[in-house]
Every structure is written in structure tokens, then in C-alpha cells.
Amino acid sequence: MINIKKVSDISSSAITPESIYLRRREFMKASGMLGTAMLLNPWMTAAASIPIGDYARNVITPKGEDEEITPEEDATSYNNFYEFGTDKGDPKKYSTKFTTDDWKITVGGECAKPGTYSLEDLIKPFAIEERVYRLRCVEAWSMVIPWLGVPLASIIESLEPTSKAKYIAFTTLHDPQRMPGQKRSVLDWPYREGLRIDEATNPLTLLAIGMYGKTMPNQNGAPVRLVVPWKYGFKSIKSIVSIDFVEQQPLTSWNMSSAREYGFYSNVNPTVNHPRWSQKKERRIGDLFKRPTLMFNGYAEEVAHMYDDMDLRSNY
Ligand SMILES: Nc1nc2c(c(=O)[nH]1)N[C@H]1C(S)=C(S)[C@@H](COP(=O)(O)O)O[C@H]1N2
Ligand SMILES: [Mo]
């Protein structure tokens, strides 16, 4: 379902921001306000030390005529980020003062390179890529978002996991002063997520630091979040402060909150309904009518092999 173009496959004219962004007339309008420098360097407003032009060289886009990129305004104002409130408009409204300077990520567990890293040091060795992915929320709505980030596989490799690292656990910042939604016990804070190591190192899995050619907005998970496009949106944990390599399947927030509704795997699957609603269809934000939900959110070719020996009905 996706098109993978490598640097060597595309001429330099084909990697201009235009060819990446301006495929759709609608999106052209939305991106009119982006300056070229901004488009080329998502770090410009953060740390200026990432070389300009290092991203958009490996472009992965969903195939298909109906894959309009969701307007940036929608993707940045209709959010799930319970640390800033449970209404869709809350994250944008209540995260305006959230600061992410000097962000650190603590790496622990089964790896040769544990320690506390600055986000910049973790990301800097790798070329930033743009990935246009579908995002399918478990609540049956979806978007198409152009992310900027680094394959999680590259980061993982650099941290040298041991053979005992079967899973990776991720944790969001826990700071009720800075994340006012954490003053209410809607979830058992901090927000936690996890992946099996093969899922974490699948080429689709992205550690994202931006979207729409810009630094990650606070409401979308600044400064760094996961993007796992074949799984329901809640697996794509925001504002990550720790990464742990572990031997056992880690605890995850939504599974702890309601195990029969939210499995550890939570692969997008139109044949397994949520106990309270159908997962057969979804509403693309901006569309009037629902569309069928695709197995693995349309990424079966890239990910189905990881689940060959699993019963995805009982192990959802
Ligand atoms: N820390 C944290 N991460 C989170 C969430 C959250 O509430 N807290 N919500 C999840 C859900 S349910 C979805 S659908 C996506 C939404 O990402 P978006 O707001 O960028 O579209 O973020 C996920 N990551
Ligand atoms: Mo979600």
C-alpha cells in the first residue's frame, strides 16, 4: 500500500518540497503560509544544529487517490492528549504554555547504552525523513498526516539492545504542573505504551519530531512522539521521556484502564469490534461519509508477517 522511494531512486528535482507537499490542490492552499526555510529545517525554531536539507529524502506516502492530506488546522486542533484535557479542543487550548526546551530521554534496561540523552543527541546522527501516514484512532476517526522524524529502528540500533530486549516500554512526561490534565485521574499517569521489539524496529515505525514541515506542536506530542501507523492511535505515545528495553510485555495505560477494550497489540482490524462500537468503518476528518477501515490500516504488506502465528481475534 505504500511507495518507498530511496534517495538514489529520485532525482534532485523530485525531492523539492513542492513535489512532496503540493501534490494536492487543497494542500497547496494550506501550505501557502510555509516559508521555504521553515519547510527545510524543522529544527529552526528549536535547536539550529541539525543540518538543513537532511529530511524528505526518503518519502513514504500512502498510495491511492483518496488520500488527501488532512488540513494542518484540523490535525492540530482535534487531538487526543489527555494530559491536557479530554475534549478534542483541550490539548491545543491548554498546552500553549508547555515548554520542551532541553528535553531529555532516559534510556534503560536491556541495552549496552543506557543513560540520559538530550533529544537532540539521540536524533542528530540520522537523516530526518518525511512520512505521510494514515492515523486511525480507536474511536473510528482518521487523518492523513505528514510527519517528520527518524525511523525508531535507527535509534534502537544505536542504543545496542541485548538479546533479552523483547519489548520496548515508553513513558510520557509526568508533571501535573506542566500537564494540567494529570491533576485528574482519568488515567493512571504517566501515560505508558509499549511495542514488541520487531514492531519497534519495523521500517514503518517513526520517532517523530515534527509535522507539516514544522517542529511538533505541543498538542500533537512535542517535542517527540511515536508514530505506529498500523496500530490504533493510542499506541502512538506523545511527549516521551523514557525508553526501556525489557524482557516481559510492559504495562500500557489503556490496557490497564480497560483490558477488554484496549489490547496490548491493538493493530487496526476491521474484523474485531470494540465492545462498544464497530471498527468496520471510520470517518476521515473532513469527510461527510464513512469509509471502510483497512486491515492494519492499509499497511498489511509491511506488517502482516509479524503476526503470522498469532490469533488476532483473541490477541487483539
Ligand atoms: N501521552 C499521550 N499520548 C497519546 C495520547 C494521550 O492521551 N496521551 N492519545 C493517543 C491517541 S488516543 C491518539 S488517537 C493519538 C492522537 O494523536 P494526534 O493528536 O497527533 O492526532 O495520540 C495518542 N498518544
Ligand atoms: Mo485514539
Side-chain angles (χ1 to χ4, degrees):
M1 291 301 291
I2 59 161
N3 225 339
I4 302 182
K5 290 180 189 150
K6 298 228 167 59
V7 183
S8 53
D9 297 334
I10 43 183
S11 70
S12 59
S13 66
I15 58 170
T16 59
E18 278 79 5
S19 66
I20 296 151
Y21 275 91
L22 308 185
R23 282 176 307 247
R24 311 280 182 207
R25 216 180 298 146
E26 251 183 46
F27 194 68
M28 237 163 140
K29 274 183 252 154
S31 63
M33 59 214 219
L34 294 177
T36 307
M38 198 62 152
L39 215 51
L40 284 172
N41 187 3
W43 287 84
M44 216 164 86
T45 55
S49 48
I50 304 288
I52 288 180
D54 251 9
Y55 92 89
R57 297 278 165 80
N58 290 316
V59 182
I60 300 190
T61 58
K63 245 190 239 167
E65 279 313 298
D66 54 355
E67 301 290 358
E68 301 270 349
I69 287 174
T70 299
E72 182 181 357
E73 173 59 26
D74 292 344
T76 56
S77 62
Y78 186 93
N79 301 99
N80 276 334
F81 198 175
Y82 279 14
E83 284 83 343
F84 293 103
T86 53
D87 286 348
K88 295 290 184 272
D90 285 348
K92 181 174 180 177
K93 217 192 296 179
Y94 298 116
S95 69
T96 50
K97 283 184 267 170
F98 185 59
T99 54
T100 58
D101 306 337
D102 304 316
W103 194 267
K104 304 273 195 294
I105 295 184
T106 302
V107 175
E110 292 293 338
C111 71
K113 300 264 178 69
T116 297
Y117 295 85
S118 76
L119 172 62
E120 209 187 321
D121 287 345
L122 269 186
I123 300 276
K124 206 164 26 182
F126 309 104
I128 294 164
E129 299 179 27
E130 170 158 276
R131 304 280 184 95
V132 181
Y133 283 156
R134 289 179 286 272
L135 174 83
R136 179 21 167 112
C137 178
V138 74
E139 298 162 336
W141 53 264
S142 62
M143 300 193 191
V144 178
I145 298 177
W147 303 104
L148 294 173
V150 165
L152 182 63
S154 306
I155 309 275
I156 289 175
E157 194 186 2
S158 73
L159 298 170
E160 299 176 22
T162 71
S163 60
K164 282 190 186 163
K166 305 284 190 235
Y167 296 87
I168 305 191
F170 304 88
T171 314
T172 295
L173 176 70
H174 189 195
D175 187 343
Q177 294 313 315
R178 294 163 69 193
M179 295 179 142
Q182 289 176 337
K183 289 176 182 164
R184 293 172 49 210
S185 49
V186 275
L187 284 170
D188 183 1
W189 311 113
Y191 196 101
R192 274 162 271 195
E193 258 310 332
L195 295 171
R196 216 168 56 191
I197 192 89
D198 59 331
E199 300 177 318
T201 55
N202 183 281
L204 287 184
T205 308
L206 199 69
L207 195 66
I209 54 158
M211 61 198 288
Y212 296 88
K214 299 173 186 168
T215 312
M216 190 68 76
N218 286 342
Q219 61 270 32
N220 293 90
V224 63
R225 67 173 293 172
L226 211 57
V227 182
V228 196
W230 71 95
K231 293 178 178 283
Y232 290 121
F234 66 85
K235 298 293 294 181
S236 293
I237 181 173
K238 297 175 169 180
S239 304
I240 296 168
V241 293
S242 76
I243 296 178
D244 283 284
F245 295 93
V246 294
E247 209 171 348
Q248 305 296 328
Q249 183 178 303
L251 291 174
T252 56
S253 290
W254 280 105
N255 185 250
M256 288 159 74
S257 158
S258 179
R260 55 184 282 277
E261 294 180 294
Y262 310 105
F264 174 80
Y265 285 93
S266 284
N267 295 311
V268 174
N269 188 341
T271 72
V272 175
N273 289 331
H274 186 281
R276 290 184 279 135
W277 59 84
S278 166
Q279 294 291 26
K280 283 192 184 64
K281 291 186 174 178
E282 68 199 59
R283 196 173 71 84
R284 183 66 52 86
I285 296 301
D287 284 2
L288 205 49
F289 300 106
K290 291 189 170 181
R291 65 177 66 210
T293 285
L294 305 173
M295 188 64 201
F296 296 113
N297 203 23
Y299 300 102
E301 211 177 292
E302 290 76 22
V303 304
H305 63 92
M306 294 190 287
Y307 310 102
D308 277 347
D309 58 358
M310 265 178 68
D311 172 7
L312 295 173
R313 291 181 160 277
S314 53
N315 224 331
Y316 51 89

